[in-house]
CSV table of all heavy atoms in Angstrom, one decimal:
chain,number,residue,atom,x,y,z
K,160,MET,N,90.9,70.0,243.5
K,160,MET,CA,91.9,69.5,244.4
K,160,MET,C,92.8,70.7,245.0
K,160,MET,O,93.1,71.6,244.1
K,160,MET,CB,92.9,68.6,243.5
K,160,MET,CG,92.2,67.3,243.2
K,160,MET,SD,91.7,66.3,244.7
K,160,MET,CE,90.9,64.9,243.9
K,161,THR,N,93.2,70.6,246.1
K,161,THR,CA,94.1,71.6,246.7
K,161,THR,C,95.3,70.9,247.1
K,161,THR,O,95.4,69.7,247.6
K,161,THR,CB,93.4,72.3,247.8
K,161,THR,OG1,93.1,71.3,248.9
K,161,THR,CG2,92.2,73.0,247.4
K,162,SER,N,96.4,71.6,247.0
K,162,SER,CA,97.6,71.1,247.5
K,162,SER,C,98.4,72.0,248.4
K,162,SER,O,98.4,73.2,248.0
K,162,SER,CB,98.4,70.6,246.3
K,162,SER,OG,98.7,71.7,245.4
K,163,GLY,N,99.0,71.6,249.4
K,163,GLY,CA,99.8,72.5,250.2
K,163,GLY,C,99.1,73.1,251.3
K,163,GLY,O,99.7,73.7,252.1
K,164,CYS,N,97.8,73.0,251.3
K,164,CYS,CA,97.0,73.7,252.4
K,164,CYS,C,97.0,72.8,253.5
K,164,CYS,O,96.5,71.7,253.5
K,164,CYS,CB,95.6,74.0,251.9
K,164,CYS,SG,94.6,74.9,253.2
K,165,THR,N,97.5,73.3,254.7
K,165,THR,CA,97.5,72.4,255.9
K,165,THR,C,96.4,72.8,256.8
K,165,THR,O,96.3,72.5,258.0
K,165,THR,CB,98.8,72.6,256.6
K,165,THR,OG1,99.0,74.1,256.8
K,165,THR,CG2,100.0,72.1,255.9
K,166,HIS,N,95.4,73.6,256.3
K,166,HIS,CA,94.2,74.1,257.0
K,166,HIS,C,94.6,74.7,258.4
K,166,HIS,O,94.1,74.2,259.4
K,166,HIS,CB,93.2,72.9,257.2
K,166,HIS,CG,93.1,72.1,256.0
K,166,HIS,ND1,92.8,72.6,254.7
K,166,HIS,CD2,93.3,70.7,255.8
K,166,HIS,CE1,92.8,71.5,253.9
K,166,HIS,NE2,93.1,70.4,254.5
K,167,PRO,N,95.4,75.8,258.4
K,167,PRO,CA,95.8,76.4,259.6
K,167,PRO,C,94.6,77.1,260.3
K,167,PRO,O,94.7,77.3,261.5
K,167,PRO,CB,96.9,77.3,259.2
K,167,PRO,CG,96.6,77.6,257.7
K,167,PRO,CD,96.0,76.4,257.2
K,168,ARG,N,93.7,77.5,259.5
K,168,ARG,CA,92.6,78.3,260.1
K,168,ARG,C,91.2,77.6,259.6
K,168,ARG,O,91.0,77.4,258.5
K,168,ARG,CB,92.5,79.7,259.7
K,168,ARG,CG,93.8,80.5,260.2
K,168,ARG,CD,93.7,81.9,259.7
K,168,ARG,NE,92.6,82.6,259.9
K,168,ARG,CZ,92.3,83.4,261.1
K,168,ARG,NH1,93.2,83.4,262.0
K,168,ARG,NH2,91.1,84.0,261.2
K,169,THR,N,90.4,77.3,260.7
K,169,THR,CA,89.2,76.6,260.4
K,169,THR,C,88.0,77.3,261.2
K,169,THR,O,88.3,77.9,262.2
K,169,THR,CB,89.2,75.1,260.7
K,169,THR,OG1,89.5,75.0,262.0
K,169,THR,CG2,90.2,74.4,259.8
K,170,GLU,N,86.8,77.2,260.6
K,170,GLU,CA,85.7,77.7,261.4
K,170,GLU,C,84.8,76.5,261.6
K,170,GLU,O,84.5,75.7,260.7
K,170,GLU,CB,85.0,78.8,260.6
K,170,GLU,CG,84.4,78.5,259.3
K,170,GLU,CD,83.7,79.6,258.7
K,170,GLU,OE1,83.6,80.7,259.3
K,170,GLU,OE2,83.3,79.5,257.5
K,171,PHE,N,84.1,76.5,262.7
K,171,PHE,CA,83.1,75.5,263.0
K,171,PHE,C,81.9,75.7,262.2
K,171,PHE,O,81.3,76.8,262.0
K,171,PHE,CB,82.8,75.6,264.5
K,171,PHE,CG,81.7,74.6,264.9
K,171,PHE,CD1,82.0,73.3,265.2
K,171,PHE,CD2,80.4,75.0,265.1
K,171,PHE,CE1,81.1,72.4,265.6
K,171,PHE,CE2,79.5,74.1,265.5
K,171,PHE,CZ,79.7,72.8,265.8
K,172,ILE,N,81.5,74.6,261.6
K,172,ILE,CA,80.2,74.6,260.7
K,172,ILE,C,79.0,74.1,261.5
K,172,ILE,O,78.0,74.8,261.8
K,172,ILE,CB,80.4,73.8,259.5
K,172,ILE,CG1,81.6,74.3,258.7
K,172,ILE,CG2,79.1,73.9,258.6
K,172,ILE,CD1,81.5,75.8,258.3
K,173,TYR,N,79.1,72.8,261.9
K,173,TYR,CA,78.0,72.2,262.7
K,173,TYR,C,78.4,70.9,263.3
K,173,TYR,O,79.6,70.4,263.0
K,173,TYR,CB,76.8,71.9,261.7
K,173,TYR,CG,77.1,70.9,260.7
K,173,TYR,CD1,76.6,69.6,260.9
K,173,TYR,CD2,77.7,71.2,259.5
K,173,TYR,CE1,76.8,68.7,259.9
K,173,TYR,CE2,77.9,70.2,258.6
K,173,TYR,CZ,77.5,69.0,258.7
K,173,TYR,OH,77.6,68.0,257.8
K,174,ARG,N,77.6,70.4,264.2
K,174,ARG,CA,77.9,69.1,264.9
K,174,ARG,C,76.8,68.1,264.5
K,174,ARG,O,75.6,68.5,264.5
K,174,ARG,CB,78.1,69.3,266.4
K,174,ARG,CG,77.9,68.1,267.1
K,174,ARG,CD,78.3,68.3,268.6
K,174,ARG,NE,79.7,68.2,268.8
K,174,ARG,CZ,80.3,68.0,270.0
K,174,ARG,NH1,79.5,67.8,271.0
K,174,ARG,NH2,81.5,67.9,270.2
K,175,GLU,N,77.2,66.9,264.2
K,175,GLU,CA,76.3,65.8,263.9
K,175,GLU,C,76.8,64.5,264.5
K,175,GLU,O,77.9,64.2,264.2
K,175,GLU,CB,76.1,65.8,262.4
K,175,GLU,CG,75.1,64.7,262.0
K,175,GLU,CD,74.9,64.7,260.6
K,175,GLU,OE1,74.2,65.5,260.0
K,175,GLU,OE2,75.5,63.9,259.8
K,176,ASP,N,76.0,63.9,265.2
K,176,ASP,CA,76.3,62.6,265.8
K,176,ASP,C,77.6,62.8,266.6
K,176,ASP,O,78.5,61.8,266.6
K,176,ASP,CB,76.5,61.6,264.7
K,176,ASP,CG,75.1,61.2,264.1
K,176,ASP,OD1,74.1,61.4,264.8
K,176,ASP,OD2,75.0,60.8,263.0
K,177,GLY,N,77.8,63.9,267.3
K,177,GLY,CA,78.9,64.0,268.2
K,177,GLY,C,80.3,64.3,267.4
K,177,GLY,O,81.3,64.4,268.0
K,178,VAL,N,80.1,64.6,266.1
K,178,VAL,CA,81.2,64.9,265.3
K,178,VAL,C,81.2,66.3,264.9
K,178,VAL,O,80.2,66.8,264.4
K,178,VAL,CB,81.3,64.0,264.0
K,178,VAL,CG1,82.5,64.4,263.1
K,178,VAL,CG2,81.3,62.5,264.4
K,179,ASP,N,82.3,67.1,265.1
K,179,ASP,CA,82.3,68.5,264.8
K,179,ASP,C,82.8,68.6,263.3
K,179,ASP,O,83.8,68.0,263.0
K,179,ASP,CB,83.2,69.3,265.7
K,179,ASP,CG,82.6,69.4,267.0
K,179,ASP,OD1,81.4,69.3,267.2
K,179,ASP,OD2,83.5,69.5,268.0
K,180,TYR,N,82.1,69.3,262.5
K,180,TYR,CA,82.5,69.6,261.2
K,180,TYR,C,83.0,71.1,261.0
K,180,TYR,O,82.4,72.0,261.6
K,180,TYR,CB,81.3,69.4,260.1
K,180,TYR,CG,81.0,67.9,260.0
K,180,TYR,CD1,80.1,67.4,260.9
K,180,TYR,CD2,81.6,67.2,259.0
K,180,TYR,CE1,79.9,66.0,260.8
K,180,TYR,CE2,81.3,65.8,258.9
K,180,TYR,CZ,80.4,65.3,259.8
K,180,TYR,OH,80.1,63.9,259.7
K,181,VAL,N,84.1,71.2,260.4
K,181,VAL,CA,84.7,72.5,260.3
K,181,VAL,C,85.1,72.8,258.8
K,181,VAL,O,85.2,71.9,258.0
K,181,VAL,CB,86.0,72.6,261.1
K,181,VAL,CG1,85.8,72.4,262.6
K,181,VAL,CG2,87.1,71.6,260.7
K,182,ARG,N,85.2,74.1,258.5
K,182,ARG,CA,85.7,74.4,257.1
K,182,ARG,C,86.9,75.3,257.1
K,182,ARG,O,87.1,76.1,258.0
K,182,ARG,CB,84.5,75.3,256.5
K,182,ARG,CG,84.9,75.7,255.0
K,182,ARG,CD,83.7,76.5,254.5
K,182,ARG,NE,83.5,77.8,255.1
K,182,ARG,CZ,82.5,78.5,254.9
K,182,ARG,NH1,81.5,78.2,254.0
K,182,ARG,NH2,82.4,79.7,255.5
K,183,CYS,N,87.8,74.9,256.3
K,183,CYS,CA,89.0,75.6,256.2
K,183,CYS,C,88.8,77.0,255.6
K,183,CYS,O,88.2,77.1,254.6
K,183,CYS,CB,90.0,74.8,255.4
K,183,CYS,SG,91.6,75.7,255.1
K,184,LEU,N,89.3,78.0,256.3
K,184,LEU,CA,89.2,79.4,255.8
K,184,LEU,C,90.1,79.7,254.6
K,184,LEU,O,90.0,80.6,253.9
K,184,LEU,CB,89.5,80.3,256.9
K,184,LEU,CG,88.6,80.3,258.1
K,184,LEU,CD1,89.0,81.3,259.2
K,184,LEU,CD2,87.1,80.6,257.6
K,185,GLY,N,91.1,78.7,254.4
K,185,GLY,CA,92.0,78.9,253.4
K,185,GLY,C,91.5,78.3,252.1
K,185,GLY,O,91.6,79.0,251.0
K,186,CYS,N,91.2,77.0,252.1
K,186,CYS,CA,90.8,76.4,250.9
K,186,CYS,C,89.3,76.1,250.7
K,186,CYS,O,88.8,75.7,249.7
K,186,CYS,CB,91.6,75.1,250.7
K,186,CYS,SG,91.2,73.8,251.9
K,187,GLY,N,88.6,76.3,251.9
K,187,GLY,CA,87.2,76.1,251.9
K,187,GLY,C,86.7,74.7,251.9
K,187,GLY,O,85.5,74.3,251.9
K,188,GLN,N,87.6,73.8,252.2
K,188,GLN,CA,87.3,72.4,252.3
K,188,GLN,C,86.6,72.1,253.7
K,188,GLN,O,87.0,72.7,254.7
K,188,GLN,CB,88.5,71.6,252.3
K,188,GLN,CG,88.3,70.0,252.3
K,188,GLN,CD,89.6,69.3,252.2
K,188,GLN,OE1,90.6,69.7,251.8
K,188,GLN,NE2,89.5,67.9,252.6
K,189,VAL,N,85.6,71.3,253.6
K,189,VAL,CA,84.9,70.9,254.9
K,189,VAL,C,85.3,69.6,255.2
K,189,VAL,O,85.3,68.6,254.4
K,189,VAL,CB,83.4,71.0,254.7
K,189,VAL,CG1,82.7,70.6,255.9
K,189,VAL,CG2,82.9,72.4,254.3
K,190,PHE,N,85.6,69.4,256.5
K,190,PHE,CA,86.0,68.0,257.0
K,190,PHE,C,85.8,67.9,258.5
K,190,PHE,O,85.4,68.9,259.1
K,190,PHE,CB,87.4,67.8,256.7
K,190,PHE,CG,88.3,69.0,257.0
K,190,PHE,CD1,88.8,69.1,258.3
K,190,PHE,CD2,88.7,69.9,256.0
K,190,PHE,CE1,89.6,70.2,258.7
K,190,PHE,CE2,89.5,71.0,256.4
K,190,PHE,CZ,89.9,71.2,257.6
K,191,GLU,N,85.9,66.7,259.0
K,191,GLU,CA,85.6,66.5,260.4
K,191,GLU,C,86.8,67.1,261.2
K,191,GLU,O,87.9,67.0,260.8
K,191,GLU,CB,85.5,64.9,260.7
K,191,GLU,CG,84.3,64.4,260.0
K,191,GLU,CD,84.3,62.9,260.3
K,191,GLU,OE1,85.0,62.4,261.2
K,191,GLU,OE2,83.5,62.2,259.6
K,192,ALA,N,86.4,67.7,262.3
K,192,ALA,CA,87.4,68.3,263.2
K,192,ALA,C,88.5,67.2,263.6
K,192,ALA,O,89.7,67.5,263.7
K,192,ALA,CB,86.8,68.9,264.4
K,193,GLU,N,88.0,66.0,263.8
K,193,GLU,CA,88.9,65.0,264.1
K,193,GLU,C,90.0,64.7,263.1
K,193,GLU,O,91.1,64.4,263.4
K,193,GLU,CB,88.2,63.7,264.5
K,193,GLU,CG,87.3,63.8,265.8
K,193,GLU,CD,86.7,62.4,266.1
K,193,GLU,OE1,86.8,61.6,265.3
K,193,GLU,OE2,86.1,62.4,267.1
K,194,ASP,N,89.6,64.8,261.8
K,194,ASP,CA,90.5,64.6,260.8
K,194,ASP,C,91.7,65.6,260.7
K,194,ASP,O,92.7,65.4,260.3
K,194,ASP,CB,89.8,64.7,259.4
K,194,ASP,CG,88.9,63.5,259.3
K,194,ASP,OD1,89.1,62.5,260.0
K,194,ASP,OD2,88.0,63.5,258.4
K,195,LEU,N,91.2,66.8,261.3
K,195,LEU,CA,92.3,67.9,261.3
K,195,LEU,C,93.4,67.6,262.4
K,195,LEU,O,94.5,67.9,262.2
K,195,LEU,CB,91.6,69.2,261.6
K,195,LEU,CG,92.5,70.4,261.5
K,195,LEU,CD1,93.1,70.5,260.2
K,195,LEU,CD2,91.7,71.7,261.9
K,196,GLU,N,93.0,66.8,263.4
K,196,GLU,CA,94.0,66.6,264.5
K,196,GLU,C,94.7,65.4,264.2
K,196,GLU,O,95.9,65.2,264.7
K,196,GLU,CB,93.2,66.5,265.8
K,196,GLU,CG,92.4,67.7,266.1
K,196,GLU,CD,91.8,67.7,267.5
K,196,GLU,OE1,92.0,66.7,268.2
K,196,GLU,OE2,91.0,68.6,267.8
K,197,THR,N,94.3,64.5,263.4
K,197,THR,CA,95.1,63.4,263.0
K,197,THR,C,95.6,63.6,261.6
K,197,THR,O,95.1,64.4,260.8
K,197,THR,CB,94.2,62.1,263.0
K,197,THR,OG1,93.1,62.3,262.0
K,197,THR,CG2,93.7,61.8,264.3
K,198,VAL,N,96.8,63.1,261.3
K,198,VAL,CA,97.4,63.4,260.1
K,198,VAL,C,96.6,62.6,259.0
K,198,VAL,O,96.5,61.4,258.9
K,198,VAL,CB,98.8,62.8,260.1
K,198,VAL,CG1,99.5,63.0,258.7
K,198,VAL,CG2,99.6,63.5,261.2
K,199,PRO,N,96.0,63.4,258.1
K,199,PRO,CA,95.3,62.8,257.0
K,199,PRO,C,96.2,62.0,256.1
K,199,PRO,O,97.2,62.5,255.6
K,199,PRO,CB,94.6,63.9,256.3
K,199,PRO,CG,95.5,65.2,256.6
K,199,PRO,CD,96.1,64.9,257.9
K,200,VAL,N,95.9,60.8,255.8
K,200,VAL,CA,96.6,60.0,254.9
K,200,VAL,C,95.7,59.5,253.8
K,200,VAL,O,94.6,59.6,253.8
K,200,VAL,CB,97.2,58.7,255.6
K,200,VAL,CG1,98.2,59.2,256.7
K,200,VAL,CG2,96.1,57.9,256.2
K,201,ALA,N,96.4,59.0,252.7
K,201,ALA,CA,95.6,58.6,251.6
K,201,ALA,C,94.7,57.5,252.0
K,201,ALA,O,95.0,56.6,252.7
K,201,ALA,CB,96.6,58.1,250.5
K,202,GLU,N,93.5,57.6,251.5
K,202,GLU,CA,92.5,56.6,251.7
K,202,GLU,C,92.9,55.3,250.9
K,202,GLU,O,92.8,55.3,249.7
K,202,GLU,CB,91.1,57.0,251.4
K,202,GLU,CG,90.7,58.3,252.2
K,202,GLU,CD,89.3,58.7,251.8
K,202,GLU,OE1,88.6,57.9,251.2
K,202,GLU,OE2,89.0,59.9,252.0
K,203,ASP,N,93.2,54.3,251.7
K,203,ASP,CA,93.5,53.1,251.0
K,203,ASP,C,92.7,51.9,251.5
K,203,ASP,O,93.2,50.9,251.8
K,203,ASP,CB,95.0,52.8,251.1
K,203,ASP,CG,95.4,52.6,252.5
K,203,ASP,OD1,94.6,52.9,253.4
K,203,ASP,OD2,96.6,52.3,252.8
K,204,ASP,N,91.4,52.1,251.6
K,204,ASP,CA,90.5,51.1,252.1
K,204,ASP,C,90.2,50.2,251.0
K,204,ASP,O,89.1,49.8,250.7
K,204,ASP,CB,89.3,51.7,252.7
K,204,ASP,CG,89.5,52.3,254.1
K,204,ASP,OD1,90.6,52.6,254.4
K,204,ASP,OD2,88.6,52.3,254.8
K,205,GLY,N,91.1,49.8,250.2
K,205,GLY,CA,90.9,48.9,249.1
K,205,GLY,C,90.3,47.6,249.5
K,205,GLY,O,90.7,47.1,250.5
K,206,GLU,N,89.3,47.2,248.8
K,206,GLU,CA,88.7,46.0,249.1
K,206,GLU,C,89.0,44.9,248.2
K,206,GLU,O,89.4,45.1,247.0
K,206,GLU,CB,87.2,46.2,249.1
K,206,GLU,CG,86.7,47.2,250.1
K,206,GLU,CD,85.1,47.3,250.1
K,206,GLU,OE1,84.5,46.5,249.4
K,206,GLU,OE2,84.6,48.1,250.8
X,329,ZN,ZN1,92.7,74.2,253.7
């Protein structure tokens, strides 16, 4: 778990199905580029 990293620097990893995946140079986390542009919130898809 990382805390406090706002992923200010990322590098492009690959694209799949029209989705760009990037990796944070700070914490190494990989996520969708779209997620970086929208404010990530806690996943509460409770069923
Ligand atoms: Zn980060």
Side-chain angles (χ1 to χ4, degrees):
M160 290 297 180
T161 59
S162 61
C164 185
T165 55
H166 318 306
R168 292 173 58 86
T169 57
E170 64 175 356
F171 176 80
I172 303 297
Y173 67 98
R174 162 173 277 201
E175 182 177 279
D176 293 335
V178 178
D179 291 332
Y180 288 86
V181 298
R182 179 176 65 190
C183 177
L184 296 177
C186 66
Q188 181 178 347
V189 177
F190 43 85
E191 296 178 13
E193 290 186 354
D194 287 346
L195 187 62
E196 299 184 7
T197 59
V198 178
V200 295
E202 298 180 19
D203 58 353
D204 282 28
E206 296 184 4

